[in-house]
């Protein structure tokens, strides 16, 4: 047996695993047979360092893999000695201890009332989403009035297109009601991403007549660091003799609200100006929300080891300047950067809690792609890149699906479609400009939806596309028996689109109508930008880049009352078949990986009744996911992280479906 000074790496890892196992048993009394088997095996490995049984050999192999990965390296800049405990002034918050605020008044109440006031069950979902955010995040935030400073770092994991802006707008409202007086939301690196968040905050929280919120940023500008901006960091007090974070002082101090993009210059100005106040911010309860960037390149990264980016470094510095900061990272797939590479993220690692938001009803996403049940893609072969035939049919489908929405809305109070959107994705900026300057208008005028020829064309499309079920999520009972029943709605839908101030708009347009055609490039990741009511997407000439692979998922999201109407048109020029098939296979592989990974997350939830996960457990699982992605794990096919959670994992979801399962694209 080795002495403590010469203990093997395996012994060290076994002892660390023993600590995690002991904490989990102490937390919720999990002492079943699987835990007992692990406890016995780890005890042996931590002492002798060599496996004697098949079970010990399996656990030994898993621990050696952990030791070989930088993911398990102690996180030095968290401030603890061994990477296992929280940093000084940073203690996990009680999961069910909520900050003191009045849920019947304040910003959150007004936000909830406004959501519930809209007709249609889609709004009922929004109200429920706002309700659920009460349990998802605010219960983990520290009491802003507590005498000693306390930080928390958490992760909220949701689904692409499931209402992220509504969720963290609700969290922001509740935090302000609770007494948080500095709220910083960090968007993606594009101005349009910041603008979407800023507009949501302004619409949901800022009342020009009553609101006391001081907006440090606006729809017109990001953080500039002007003298007027700098003066906002001096927080006034009702009673100067008492700390700012006493209840009376917080009640009489205006909250500051910022939406900043993930940009080194912008974050650098913010860090510089906050640092200038030094200890003056030590009593300011702050909430920092990070809308995590596009996950697709992370999931396909060539190596799990990455240097921390300049923007992440600045974000970490920002948190260090705010001793009472509560950091919430929102990720919209399970491939959260902070979990896949905790050593690279350091203080951004969600040390205190991981919360999974439930999959919304009426949702379309990776599950449907993985099962081959997402009948949304239509591949359109054209002789040249300049052929507009696929875009013409996409326009026809946009009008036709708009008419079906109006038909369903008239037939049932359960459906109300405030938004109806079409998205045209072009990587060529010149083509984007041409479409916006009149290309789409020309196609629209040539379509002549009020003519007999236009009606005949839509009738054929209705019979070919909509009358037959599309996937297992068809809403066929809300389809008319014959096209003639749709005729008045065709006219209404075409008129609504035609009466728009501009038929086609760029994604960053400041005045977007609710029935609209949007033109964008593939540079903005699909997980970072929401298009409400998205029904038809047109994608031209996909290439090999991860950005264009992600563009295949722009239709992911909740589609209440129109899941069967969602369509993606992919236009291929001559010779692009091979490129498309390769891109499709990579996209489907990512979707299968996501489904499998979410299966494991369900398996390691703290109990069947909760969506919460221990960060330590998720760190191990994320590491194993990376090893598997990079071909470093070879198993007998079970691919189970030991017997600890194997029985709870649904094997039919964990093992990827065969390659033959596709998105159901109509070639």
């Amino acid at each position: 047996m080795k002495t403590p000074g010469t203990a093997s790496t395996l012994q060290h890892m076994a002892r660390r695993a023993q600590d995690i196992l002991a904490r989990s048993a102490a937390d919720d009394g999990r002492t079943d047979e699987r835990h007992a088997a692990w406890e016995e095996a780890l005890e042996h490995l931590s002492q002798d360092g060599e496996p004697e049984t098949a079970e010990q050999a399996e656990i030994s192999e898993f621990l050696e893999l952990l030791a070989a990965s930088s993911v398990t390296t102690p996180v030095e800049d968290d401030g603890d000695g061994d990477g296992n405990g929280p940093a000084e002034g940073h203690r996990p918050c009680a999961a069910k201890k909520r900050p003191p605020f009045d849920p019947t008044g304040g910003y959150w109440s007004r936000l909830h009332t406004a959501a519930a006031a809209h007709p249609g069950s889609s709004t009922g979902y929004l109200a429920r989403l706002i309700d659920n955010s009460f349990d998802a995040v605010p219960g983990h935030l520290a009491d802003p009035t507590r005498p000693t400073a306390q930080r928390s770092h958490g992760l909220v994991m949701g689904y692409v297109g499931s209402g992220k802006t509504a969720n963290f707008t609700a969290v922001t409202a509740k935090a302000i009601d609770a007494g948080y007086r500095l709220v910083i939301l960090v968007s993606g690196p594009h101005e349009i991403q910041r603008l979407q968040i800023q507009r949501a905050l302004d619409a949901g929280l800022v009342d020009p007549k009553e609101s006391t919120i001081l907006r440090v940023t606006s729809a017109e500008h990001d953080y500039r660091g002007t003298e007027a901006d700098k003066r906002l960091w001096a927080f006034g007090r009702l009673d100067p003799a008492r700390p700012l974070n006493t209840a009376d002082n917080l009640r009489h101090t205006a909250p500051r609200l910022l939406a900043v993009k993930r940009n080194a210059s912008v974050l650098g100005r913010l860090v510089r100006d906050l640092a200038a106040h030094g200890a003056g911010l030590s009593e300011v309860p702050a909430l920092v929300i990070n809308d995590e960037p596009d996950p697709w390149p992370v999931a396909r990264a060539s190596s799990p080891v990455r240097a921390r980016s300049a923007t992440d470094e600045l974000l970490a510095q920002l948190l260090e300047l705010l001793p009472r900061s509560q950091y919430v990272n929102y990720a919209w797939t399970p491939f959260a950067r902070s979990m896949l590479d905790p050593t690279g993220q350091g203080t951004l690692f969600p040390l205190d809690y991981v919360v999974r938001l439930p999959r919304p009803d009426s949702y379309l996403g990776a599950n449907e792609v993985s099962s081959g049940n997402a009948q949304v893609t239509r591949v359109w072969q054209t002789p040249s890149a300049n052929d507009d035939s696929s875009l013409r049919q996409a326009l026809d489908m946009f009008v036709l699906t708009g008419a079906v929405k109006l038909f369903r809305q008239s037939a049932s109070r359960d459906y109300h479609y405030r938004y109806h959107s079409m998205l045209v994705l072009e990587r060529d900026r010149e083509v984007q400009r041409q479409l916006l300057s009149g290309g789409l208008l020309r196609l629209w005028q040539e379509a002549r939806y009020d003519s007999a020829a236009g009606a005949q064309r839509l009738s054929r499309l209705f019979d070919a596309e909509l009358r037959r079920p599309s996937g297992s999520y068809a809403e066929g009972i809300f389809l008319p028996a014959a096209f003639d029943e749709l005729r008045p709605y065709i006219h209404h839908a075409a008129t609504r689109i035609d009466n728009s101030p501009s038929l086609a708009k760029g994604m960053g347009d400041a005045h977007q109508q609710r029935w609209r055609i949007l033109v964008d490039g593939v540079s903005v990741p699909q997980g970072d930008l929401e298009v409400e009511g998205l029904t038809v997407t047109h994608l031209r000439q996909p290439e090999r880049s991860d950005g264009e692979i992600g563009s295949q998922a722009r239709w992911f999201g909740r589609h209440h009352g129109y899941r069967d109407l969602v369509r993606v048109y992919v236009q291929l020029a001559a010779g692009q078949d091979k490129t498309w098939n390769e891109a499709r296979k990579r996209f489907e592989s990512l979707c299968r990986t996501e489904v499998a990974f979410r299966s494991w997350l369900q398996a390691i939830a703290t109990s069947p009744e909760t969506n919460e996960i221990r960060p330590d457990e998720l760190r191990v699982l994320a590491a194993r996911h990376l090893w598997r992605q990079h071909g470093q794990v070879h198993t007998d096919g079970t691919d189970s992280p030991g017997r600890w959670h194997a029985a709870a994992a649904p094997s039919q979801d964990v093992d990827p479906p065969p390659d033959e399962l596709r998105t159901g694209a109509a070639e």
Side-chain angles (χ1 to χ4, degrees), residues 53 117 204 229 287 310 392 535 576 626 639:
T53 66
D229 290 340
L287 172 66
R392 291 174 188 271
T535 308
Q576 289 191 320
L626 278 182
D639 197 24

Side-chain angles (χ1 to χ4, degrees), residues 133-150:
S133 67
F134 181 88
D135 296 318
V137 178
H140 291 280
L141 305 183
D143 181 348
T145 63
R146 59 177 288 130
T148 57
Q150 177 177 318

Side-chain angles (χ1 to χ4, degrees), residues 37 54 244 254 292 366 393 409 443:
L244 174 67
E292 183 163 298
Q393 176 142 331
Q409 184 171 295
L443 293 177

Side-chain angles (χ1 to χ4, degrees), residues 229-235 272-282:
D229 290 340
K230 295 176 183 178
R231 286 195 293 270
L232 292 175
W233 305 130
F235 289 80
R272 177 201 65 196
D273 293 347
L274 289 177
H277 284 266
L281 297 174
S282 63

Side-chain angles (χ1 to χ4, degrees), residues 177-325:
D177 286 342
Y180 283 85
R181 289 301 174 257
L182 176 58
V183 179
I184 303 172
L185 289 100
V186 183
S187 76
H190 300 274
E191 175 61 17
I192 182 176
Q193 297 165 305
R194 188 199 74 83
L195 194 58
Q196 186 176 67
I197 291 176
Q198 183 75 60
R199 287 172 177 161
L201 296 174
D202 290 349
L205 303 176
V206 180
D207 185 335
K209 296 180 180 179
E210 299 180 8
S211 177
T212 60
I213 293 177
L214 297 178
R215 293 186 301 162
V216 186
T217 62
S218 69
E220 289 71 35
H221 62 82
D222 203 335
Y223 183 74
R224 298 173 297 183
T226 64
E227 290 303 316
D229 290 340
K230 295 176 183 178
R231 286 195 293 270
L232 292 175
W233 305 130
F235 289 80
R237 309 177 187 216
L238 178 68
D239 184 355
R242 303 179 67 191
L244 174 67
N245 61 298
T246 58
D248 287 343
N249 278 335
L250 291 178
R251 192 175 296 113
H252 290 83
T253 300
R256 276 69 166 169
L257 181 63
L258 299 84
V260 298
K261 59 177 170 286
R262 190 178 292 103
N263 175 279
S265 297
V266 174
L267 290 175
R269 285 195 296 269
L270 182 58
V271 168
R272 177 201 65 196
D273 293 347
L274 289 177
H277 284 266
L281 297 174
S282 63
E283 297 171 354
V284 179
L287 172 66
V288 179
I289 294 177
N290 181 19
D291 185 12
E292 183 163 298
D294 173 43
W296 294 96
V298 179
R300 294 183 52 79
S302 59
S303 170
V305 180
R306 303 185 317 278
R308 178 187 283 176
S309 67
T311 52
D312 282 344
E313 182 64 40
L314 288 167
L315 189 54
Q317 293 177 28
L318 176 67
L319 298 177
E320 289 299 321
L321 292 171
L322 301 168
R324 295 178 178 273
S325 60

